């Protein structure tokens, strides 16, 4: 898809809508084919290349990194490992052959260079101060490791950079050979082919000649005499010993680039003395020995310019900063530097400066110089510098992201032949490891000429800076809910802190509301956006991107403040939001399904998509899934519509609504308690003096009532907790079985919807005293794991002891759970189906095998309370509850089945109960949508009884 086509009307989803108009009458009705095309998952092929430097050649992107890593890609999205044997030597016959990396740094190939001799450009031997060829490997290995072991280049070949040199007609490979005490050297290797073999040409710049006493790092072994003229003694400015890093740099991390005039430059350095720039000789690729630099200091003895090291363009004073990279984008040279330590907790952070000149001065958006005038902390939670524009900070949960990205850095950048700019970097993750991978984001330029990185990885989008400047994004598409990531300084990297999403709304009136408040506007005729929020103004660009891992499109923006912080935002395009929802939602209905009970039609939706249901015959099966059977079987059509304006997607289900069957109401005999949780006070319909108490322990959450689409009226929500931490919430009822010691058993039923898979969470219990249990007490209880437990403090038994998580009572779904206790056995039922049982023995004793049923009755009859959510002295189940029923007799299997059948429709459980008029009845009677207890629709109420009015139960007594 071409970016210029994509944004011809500025918003891709509207383009989709126009395409629909050619296919169907409703231009915003999506088809299944379109749904399938808009949402598919995609997987990228990843590689781990530390310090990736990118270069393009003949349709392929190459990245080279530290430790001899090398990978290639055709699309900047999928990478594959490439050959590591890229090193070569010239053999005795003059032929270049491949060789191991340990063998290639002794025999330099360049023999003569141009240099200034007495002010005149003269060709001289390219040799050290002793007249010998340069041995770069020996220099970098001159100082032993801190433990005394010999230093090697294995693991110390760092951060290469590759560029094609037109004058040489070769690929130039600049590489750091890192030494132990800053005795490092950047070398040049060249090859005819981008994959080598690369042959050592000679050194470009050294560091670490820090004293005049160690012969292994004597300045005469470097090119200092070639640069400065023969130096009989080490110049005092370099004679720093162990204090070297307080003044000077480490010669690593080269970046080589051409300026607009065709001159060749190299920036390099790390921490310590800062980042420096040197002119290179484009005819050789080595240092230009004809260019001189003055001795200049900043007044505190720190160099701003040096005859050997060149010009300081950033850092200094031991301030962190490494991996410099310069790329011209638009009208400026942009200098990328990574601050902090490279490990996951080190605070690695990419910062950006710009200049009109290749060697600076470089400044950030606030005008701060990249060159420091004193020490400051410039990364982590205690950063004081706040210097350099943030490019990408640590973040998580952007789109479908589940693993936080952090410690991003040591990047390179590139501009392709379409004018698109990209940043390529390595990132670590907040998973407790130091594993890293390569990432690529597109860069665009805001209205002030500053670059910003788009939020999602590059996925082939063709939107360019020219498009941003000349094409207006449809303002209507920017109105709605956006997810934001705010990249700020001072993240607590030691704690692996990442920026997390915020939610805001952009209104049609230009307001920002939600987690941030302020204003927004788009510059007319362009895709530039300005957002002012929290007192900070951000200027950025709008683009449509594909969300990571999918083909879904999102409207995104990336904006930079003058203080250097960054705001990312995205909003899933409406059509794609519907596509994602459709492909990731399980329907509660199937075609040709037979319906014989209430059905929960709630589905999970995403990104602002709504789900609506329409029944062709709501009198027998309502739009919200209520089962109101007719006398005969009724065929209906149920239409499910997913809506995200202006788009929608419909699918239909042919349903057979089963007729109203006769239900034996014998289960009503013995009912002593019925609580429907439709209001507070929550009253027992069989004894209006018995009312529920909603409470919690000292640190717990008190249960609440809430609407639920799958149930009539309201339901009770109990939040989980533990008794030990005093975080349990509960609902306490007077025990309707208290004092009934001559019972032949009892039955407890209720609707339950578990929210978690906890093994010990208490659903309900009969307890002797109040639930805040200071000590153990007799109790009989049921947990959400289908465990029935009993103790009278002398005898105990258990049914379904929770040694593992059971699924008898499923999570996320309403289940009708029944326990029956009789003199001979105890039964556990879910949705009218027996799941387990245990028998009772009649002989006395303390063990399960000879347990006496009467002990259970004694505990239940003595219990002062029946509680929901507490009672087993362990934990509270996180669950929803409805329609609690308690009977003073055990139900038979048939009665349990009848009870379940009745519970799945609008049924009167209050026959013979004390008359109670709902406080909502008077108002409810004024509305429409009235059903009797058989599910038949009525025009009006003409007699006392229980009715369903607009989906809520009311009892009318007069």
């Amino acid at each position: 898809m071409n970016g210029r086509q994509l944004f011809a009307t500025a918003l891709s989803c509207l383009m989709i809508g126009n395409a629909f108009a050619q296919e169907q009458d409703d231009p915003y009705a999506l088809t299944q084919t379109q749904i399938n095309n808009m949402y598919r998952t995609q997987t990228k092929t990843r590689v781990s290349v530390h310090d990736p430097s990118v270069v393009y050649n003949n349709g392929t992107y190459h990245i080279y990194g530290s430790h001899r890593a090398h990978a290639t890609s055709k699309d900047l999205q999928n990478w594959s490992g490439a050959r590591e044997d890229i090193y070569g030597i010239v053999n005795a016959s003059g032929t270049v052959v491949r060789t191991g990396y340990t063998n290639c740094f002794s025999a330099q190939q360049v023999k003569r260079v141009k240099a200034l001799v007495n002010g005149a450009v003269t060709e001289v031997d390219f040799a050290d101060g002793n007249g010998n060829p340069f041995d770069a490997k020996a220099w970098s290995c001159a100082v032993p490791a801190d433990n005394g072991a010999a230093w090697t280049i294995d693991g110390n070949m760092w951060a290469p950079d590759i560029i094609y040199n037109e004058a040489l007609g070769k690929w130039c490979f600049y590489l750091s050979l890192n030494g132990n005490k800053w005795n490092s050297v950047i070398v040049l290797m060249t090859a005819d082919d981008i994959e080598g073999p690369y042959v050592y040409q000679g050194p470009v710049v050294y560091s670490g000649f820090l004293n005049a006493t160690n012969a292994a790092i004597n300045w005469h072994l470097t090119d200092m005499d070639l640069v400065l003229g023969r130096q009989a003694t080490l110049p005092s400015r370099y004679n720093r010993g162990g204090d070297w890093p307080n003044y000077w740099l480490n010669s690593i991390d080269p970046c080589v680039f051409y300026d607009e005039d065709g001159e060749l430059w190299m920036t390099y350095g790390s921490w310590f003395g800062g980042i420096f720039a040197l002119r290179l000789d484009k005819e050789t690729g080595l240092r230009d020995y004809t260019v001189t630099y003055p001795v200049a200091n900043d007044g505190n003895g720190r160099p701003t310019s040096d005859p050997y090291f060149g010009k300081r363009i950033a850092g200094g004073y031991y301030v962190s900063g490494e991996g410099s990279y310069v790329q011209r984008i638009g009208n400026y040279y942009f200098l990328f530097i990574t601050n902090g330590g490279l490990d996951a907790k080190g605070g690695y952070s990419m910062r950006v400066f710009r200049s009109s000149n290749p060697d600076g001065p470089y400044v950030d958006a606030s005008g701060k110089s990249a060159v420091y005038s004193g020490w400051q902390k410039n990364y982590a939670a205690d950063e004081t510098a706040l210097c350099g524009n943030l490019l990408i900070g640590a973040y998580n949960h952007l789109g479908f992201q589940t693993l936080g990205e952090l410690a991003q850095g040591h990047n390179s950048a590139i501009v392709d032949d379409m004018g698109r700019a990209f940043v390529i970097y390595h990132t670590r993750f907040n998973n407790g490891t130091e594993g890293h991978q390569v990432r690529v984001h597109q860069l665009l330029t805001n209205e002030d000429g500053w670059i910003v990185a788009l939020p999602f990885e590059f996925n082939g989008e063709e939107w360019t800076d020219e498009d941003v400047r000349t094409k207006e994004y449809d303002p209507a598409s920017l109105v709605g809910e956006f997810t934001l990531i705010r990249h700020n300084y001072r993240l607590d990297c030691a704690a692996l802190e990442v920026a997390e999403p915020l939610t805001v709304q952009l209104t049609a009136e230009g307001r920002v509301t939600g987690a941030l408040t302020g204003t927004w506007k788009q510059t007319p005729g362009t895709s530039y956006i300005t957002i002012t929020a929290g007192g900070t103004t951000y200027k950025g660009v709008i683009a449509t991107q594909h969300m990571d891992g999918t083909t879904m499109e999102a409207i995104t923006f990336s904006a930079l403040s003058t203080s250097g912080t960054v705001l990312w935002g995205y909003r899933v395009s409406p059509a794609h939001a519907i596509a994602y929802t459709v492909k990731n939602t399980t329907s509660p209905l199937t075609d040709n399904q037979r319906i014989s009970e209430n059905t929960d039609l709630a589905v999970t939706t995403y990104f602002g998509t709504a789900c609506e249901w329409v029944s062709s015959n709501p009198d027998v099966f309502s739009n919200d899934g209520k089962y109101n059977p007719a006398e005969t079987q009724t065929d209906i059509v149920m239409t499910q519509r997913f809506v995200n304006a202006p788009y929608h997607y419909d699918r239909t289900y042919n349903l057979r609504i089963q007729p109203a069957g006769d239900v034996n109401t014998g289960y009503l005999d013995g009912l002593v308690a019925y609580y429907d949780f439709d209001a507070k006070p929550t009253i027992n319909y069989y004894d209006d003096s018995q009312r529920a108490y909603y409470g919690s322990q000292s640190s717990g959450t008190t249960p609440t009532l809430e609407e639920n689409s799958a149930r009539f009226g309201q339901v009770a929500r109990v939040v989980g907790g533990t008794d030990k931490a005093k975080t349990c919430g509960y609902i306490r009822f007077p025990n309707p079985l208290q004092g009934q010691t001559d019972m032949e058993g009892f039955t407890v039923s209720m609707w339950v919807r578990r929210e978690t898979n906890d093994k010990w969470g208490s659903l309900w219990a009969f307890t002797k005293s109040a639930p805040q249990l200071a000590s153990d007490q007799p109790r009989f209880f049921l947990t959400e794991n289908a465990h029935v437990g009993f103790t009278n403090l002398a005898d105990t038994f258990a049914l379904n002891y929770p040694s593992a998580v059971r699924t008898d009572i499923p999570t996320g779904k309403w289940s009708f759970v029944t326990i029956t206790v009789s003199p001979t056995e105890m039964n556990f039922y879910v949705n009218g189906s027996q799941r387990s049982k245990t028998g009772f023995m009649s002989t006395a004793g303390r063990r399960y095998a000879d347990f006496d049923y009467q002990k259970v009755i004694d505990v239940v009859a003595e219990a002062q309370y029946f509680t929901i959510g507490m009672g087993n002295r362990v934990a509270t189940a996180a669950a929803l509850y409805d329609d609690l029923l308690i009977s003073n007799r055990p139900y038979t299997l048939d009665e349990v089945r009848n009870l379940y059948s009745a519970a799945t429709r609008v049924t009167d459980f209050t026959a013979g109960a004390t008359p109670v008029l709902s406080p909502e009845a008077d108002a409810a009677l004024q509305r429409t949508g009235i059903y009797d207890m058989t599910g038949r629709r009525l025009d009006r109420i003409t007699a006392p009884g229980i009715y369903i009015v607009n989906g809520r139960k009311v009892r009318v007594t007069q």
Side-chain angles (χ1 to χ4, degrees):
M1 179 164 49
N2 184 279
R4 290 162 180 78
Q5 297 171 342
L6 178 66
F7 282 83
T9 60
L11 181 59
S12 62
C13 67
L14 292 184
M15 293 295 292
I16 294 171
N18 292 336
F20 294 164
Q22 300 171 8
E23 300 176 9
Q24 51 200 40
D25 294 336
D26 185 347
Y28 299 112
L30 303 177
T31 68
Q32 186 63 54
T33 299
Q34 291 161 338
I35 292 291
N36 293 340
N37 289 335
M38 280 188 283
Y39 175 73
R40 297 188 305 276
T41 58
Q42 294 180 323
T43 302
K44 285 183 167 64
T45 305
R46 306 288 193 182
V47 290
S48 296
V49 176
H50 213 263
D51 312 330
S53 179
V54 65
V55 63
Y56 177 80
N57 178 56
N58 195 29
T60 300
Y61 293 92
H62 294 254
I63 50 174
Y64 289 87
S66 295
H67 317 306
R68 305 181 302 282
H70 175 203
T72 61
S73 173
K74 296 290 186 181
D75 57 9
L76 286 177
Q77 302 173 66
N78 298 284
W79 298 89
S80 58
R83 65 187 310 160
E84 293 183 8
D85 61 331
I86 63 172
Y87 306 99
I89 57 172
V90 179
N91 65 15
S93 63
T95 303
V96 175
V97 295
R98 294 187 187 272
T99 187
Y101 65 91
T102 60
N103 301 323
C104 62
F105 297 110
S106 303
Q108 73 182 55
Q109 297 303 303
V110 176
K111 306 301 183 185
R112 303 277 289 177
V113 295
K114 293 177 181 179
L116 285 179
V117 178
N118 298 322
V121 176
T122 306
E123 189 173 273
V124 298
D125 290 338
F126 188 44
D128 67 18
N130 299 321
N132 299 317
F134 297 102
D135 190 339
K137 177 183 175 183
W139 178 267
S140 68
C141 297
V143 178
D146 292 344
N147 63 4
W151 192 266
T152 70
I153 63 171
D154 189 31
N156 288 293
M157 299 169 64
W158 287 359
D161 192 38
I162 295 185
I163 190 170
Y164 186 75
N165 188 307
E166 294 283 354
L168 287 173
K170 291 181 179 293
W171 293 97
C172 290
F173 186 95
Y174 295 86
L175 175 67
S176 312
L177 299 182
N178 177 61
N180 182 33
K181 294 294 184 181
W182 317 290
N183 55 300
S184 303
V185 56
I186 294 172
V187 300
L188 167 64
M189 309 176 77
T190 65
D192 295 322
D193 186 272
I194 195 169
E195 292 195 346
Y198 285 93
V199 177
Y200 170 57
Q201 302 300 307
V204 181
V205 65
Y206 287 83
S207 64
F209 32 81
L210 48 82
N211 63 54
T213 59
N214 187 342
I217 53 171
N218 186 275
W219 67 95
H220 289 310
L221 299 176
T222 76
D223 63 343
M224 181 187 294
D225 290 333
L226 190 57
V227 176
L228 306 181
R230 179 70 180 183
Q231 301 293 304
T233 60
L234 180 64
S236 59
R237 63 181 180 273
Y238 307 131
N239 194 8
R240 299 290 182 179
D243 204 29
W244 173 276
N246 280 319
Y247 291 86
W248 298 110
L249 69 162
N250 198 13
S251 288
I252 60 172
D253 297 355
C255 168
V256 179
F257 64 98
Y258 284 98
D259 67 15
E260 289 297 286
D261 298 323
E263 298 299 334
L264 193 61
W265 293 84
M266 181 178 77
T267 64
Y268 70 104
S270 173
W271 288 61
F272 321 134
I275 306 296
F276 282 70
L278 282 174
R279 277 275 297 275
L280 302 184
D281 181 353
K282 57 189 175 185
E283 301 297 327
T284 65
L286 297 167
R287 179 188 184 125
D288 189 338
Y289 290 96
T290 69
V291 176
T292 61
Y293 306 88
V295 173
N297 297 298
D298 60 5
N300 294 315
R302 299 319 195 268
T304 56
S305 175
D306 180 74
Y308 183 78
F309 289 113
K311 180 181 180 181
R312 178 157 60 104
I313 62 171
Y317 287 89
Y318 225 111
V319 174
S320 80
E322 64 183 29
S324 67
Y325 201 89
V326 175
Q327 177 67 50
R328 188 173 177 88
I329 302 173
N331 298 322
Y332 297 96
Y333 297 94
F334 285 91
L335 170 64
F336 301 82
I337 296 177
T338 303
N339 295 353
L342 58 79
D343 59 303
K345 295 184 177 182
Y348 229 36
S349 172
M350 290 178 284
R351 306 295 173 94
V352 177
F353 305 84
R354 77 181 184 192
S355 175
S356 297
N357 304 304
D359 60 344
Y362 285 94
V363 298
D364 67 11
S366 67
K368 291 180 181 177
S369 172
V371 176
Y372 283 82
S373 58
W375 185 86
Q376 291 189 72
K377 185 72 174 292
N378 66 348
Y379 64 97
D382 56 346
E383 176 174 353
T384 58
L386 306 181
C387 184
N389 302 342
L390 287 168
L391 188 65
I392 298 173
Y395 66 96
N396 199 4
H397 300 119
L398 176 74
F400 302 109
Q401 180 187 23
T402 58
L403 189 60
E405 182 180 298
L406 46 76
Q408 308 103 316
H410 205 124
N411 68 281
S412 57
I414 196 169
V415 177
D416 70 6
D417 57 7
M418 285 181 58
R420 297 175 302 180
F422 304 95
V423 60
I424 297 92
Y425 61 94
H426 71 255
T427 181
R428 286 176 168 77
F429 307 95
N430 64 341
N431 60 358
T433 75
E434 294 298 326
H436 56 86
Q437 292 179 343
V438 171
R439 294 290 185 268
V440 179
H441 286 246
Q442 186 174 353
L443 302 173
L444 289 173
T445 307
N446 74 5
E447 207 163 1
D448 292 339
W450 287 103
I451 56 171
V452 291
L454 292 181
F456 293 106
E457 290 182 68
F458 176 63
N459 286 289
E461 296 86 358
E462 298 185 355
W463 193 233
T464 68
D465 274 325
E466 177 65 18
D467 295 320
V468 174
R469 285 191 296 268
T470 60
K471 296 177 182 178
E472 185 175 58
Y473 217 97
D474 179 10
S477 68
L478 300 173
V479 173
E481 183 175 282
F482 275 78
T483 300
L484 300 185
I485 294 286
R486 185 166 49 174
H487 296 293
N488 283 332
Y489 301 105
R490 294 174 174 155
L491 284 181
D492 186 354
C493 55
L496 301 180
E497 182 184 2
V498 295
E500 293 283 358
L502 305 171
T503 301
V504 300
Q505 291 74 39
L506 304 190
T507 72
E509 297 75 29
R511 306 295 300 173
V512 178
T513 62
L516 298 176
T517 58
T519 61
W520 74 275
K521 65 179 180 180
Q522 182 179 194
T523 302
T526 76
S527 291
Y528 293 123
I529 189 171
T530 300
I531 297 175
T532 299
T536 301
T537 297
Y538 302 84
K539 289 189 174 183
V541 297
I542 311 164
T544 290
Q545 290 190 274
H546 293 90
M547 298 176 70
D548 295 341
T550 74
T551 57
M552 287 177 61
E553 289 182 358
I555 305 159
T556 70
F557 63 77
S558 180
L560 174 72
S561 74
T562 55
S563 62
T565 57
V566 174
L567 199 63
W568 281 355
Y570 77 93
R571 176 174 178 247
V572 178
S573 301
H576 292 82
I578 292 176
Y580 180 81
T581 298
V582 170
K583 298 296 286 291
N584 288 277
T585 296
T586 300
S587 176
L589 299 178
T590 58
D591 204 30
N592 299 315
Q593 182 178 350
R594 294 176 181 269
I595 301 295
S596 59
E597 62 184 33
N598 297 329
T599 303
D600 186 355
L601 297 181
V603 297
T604 302
T605 58
Y606 304 90
F607 306 116
T609 300
C611 179
E612 303 168 353
W613 293 90
V614 176
S615 170
S616 64
N617 190 342
D619 285 349
V620 297
F621 193 65
S622 70
N623 296 340
D624 53 359
K626 301 304 184 293
Y627 171 60
N628 303 304
E631 294 293 339
T632 60
Q633 177 177 285
T634 306
D635 291 341
I636 71 164
V637 175
M638 201 74 176
T639 301
Q640 183 182 32
R641 169 165 286 193
F642 294 96
V643 180
N644 200 316
Y647 295 101
H648 64 87
Y649 168 76
D650 295 348
R651 57 187 177 195
T652 58
Y653 301 89
N654 297 297
L655 304 179
R656 291 200 159 181
I657 311 304
Q658 298 301 98
D662 292 333
V663 175
N664 187 329
T665 59
Y667 58 82
L668 292 172
D669 296 337
L671 274 178
V672 292
Y674 168 50
Y675 293 88
D676 61 10
F677 300 105
D678 280 345
K680 288 185 179 180
T682 305
I683 300 171
N684 179 3
Y685 278 95
Y686 286 81
D687 184 346
D688 61 4
S689 68
Q690 296 182 340
R691 301 187 175 193
Y693 171 79
Y694 294 75
S696 65
Q697 293 178 304
S698 57
S699 300
T701 301
T702 300
T704 57
L705 299 183
E706 61 183 49
E707 297 289 335
N708 186 272
S709 61
R711 304 295 307 144
F712 292 106
Q714 297 191 93
V715 300
R717 175 179 289 278
V718 178
V719 179
T722 64
D723 187 72
K724 182 177 181 180
K726 303 301 181 187
T727 55
C728 294
Y730 60 87
I731 307 174
R732 188 178 72 210
F733 310 83
N735 178 16
L737 301 179
Q738 188 176 22
Q740 299 190 32
T741 57
D742 58 348
M743 291 183 295
E744 290 299 311
F746 59 91
T747 301
V748 178
S749 293
M750 68 176 67
W751 285 100
V752 175
R753 174 175 159 155
R754 294 175 66 186
E755 303 290 283
T756 64
N757 280 316
D758 182 60
K759 289 193 295 185
W760 287 102
S762 177
L763 289 179
W764 58 255
F766 290 95
T767 59
K768 185 173 183 179
S769 60
Q772 293 95 329
L773 306 179
S775 59
D776 206 359
Q777 64 168 304
R779 59 191 181 276
F780 180 83
F781 61 88
L782 170 68
T783 75
E784 60 179 304
N785 201 47
H787 164 52
V788 180
F790 167 86
T791 182
N792 60 10
L793 302 186
D795 306 284
T796 62
F797 76 83
L799 175 64
N800 303 328
Y801 190 82
S803 57
V805 173
R806 295 170 61 95
T807 59
D808 299 83
I809 307 173
T811 58
K813 182 179 180 179
W814 284 100
S815 301
F816 193 65
V817 179
T818 301
I819 295 288
T820 67
V821 176
S822 74
T824 58
E825 63 185 22
M826 180 173 63
N827 289 277
F828 169 63
Y829 302 88
V830 177
N831 295 339
S833 174
Q834 186 180 61
R835 297 302 176 88
S836 56
K837 72 175 181 177
T838 184
F840 292 122
M841 303 294 290
S842 60
T843 58
R846 292 194 175 195
R847 304 266 50 92
Y848 170 79
D850 56 4
F851 193 80
D852 187 349
Y853 146 83
Q854 188 60 42
K855 295 177 182 179
V856 177
I857 295 301
D858 290 344
V859 166
V860 170
E862 291 174 7
Q864 185 178 357
Y865 297 109
F866 179 86
T867 61
I868 286 177
M870 282 189 67
N872 69 343
R873 279 192 49 77
V874 180
T876 292
L880 303 181
Y881 300 86
D882 198 19
D883 287 352
L884 166 62
L885 299 154
I886 300 176
S887 175
N888 62 8
R889 67 179 184 84
Y891 285 174
T892 66
L893 174 59
D894 285 341
E895 287 177 320
V896 170
R897 289 172 177 169
N898 277 330
L899 178 63
Y900 171 64
S901 179
T904 59
R905 63 180 69 179
V906 181
T907 303
D908 185 359
F909 290 118
T910 62
T914 303
V916 176
L917 176 63
S918 166
E920 300 181 16
D922 291 339
L925 293 178
Q926 307 305 315
R927 307 185 200 129
T928 59
I930 305 171
Y931 295 86
D932 66 16
M933 300 321 297
T934 66
R936 294 175 178 81
R937 187 162 186 156
L938 305 176
D939 293 330
R940 58 194 179 91
I941 295 175
T942 58
I946 298 293
Y947 298 87
I948 303 301
V949 181
N950 285 347
R952 297 182 66 83
K953 274 184 281 193
V954 297
R955 180 169 180 80
V956 179
T957 58
Q958 57 185 5

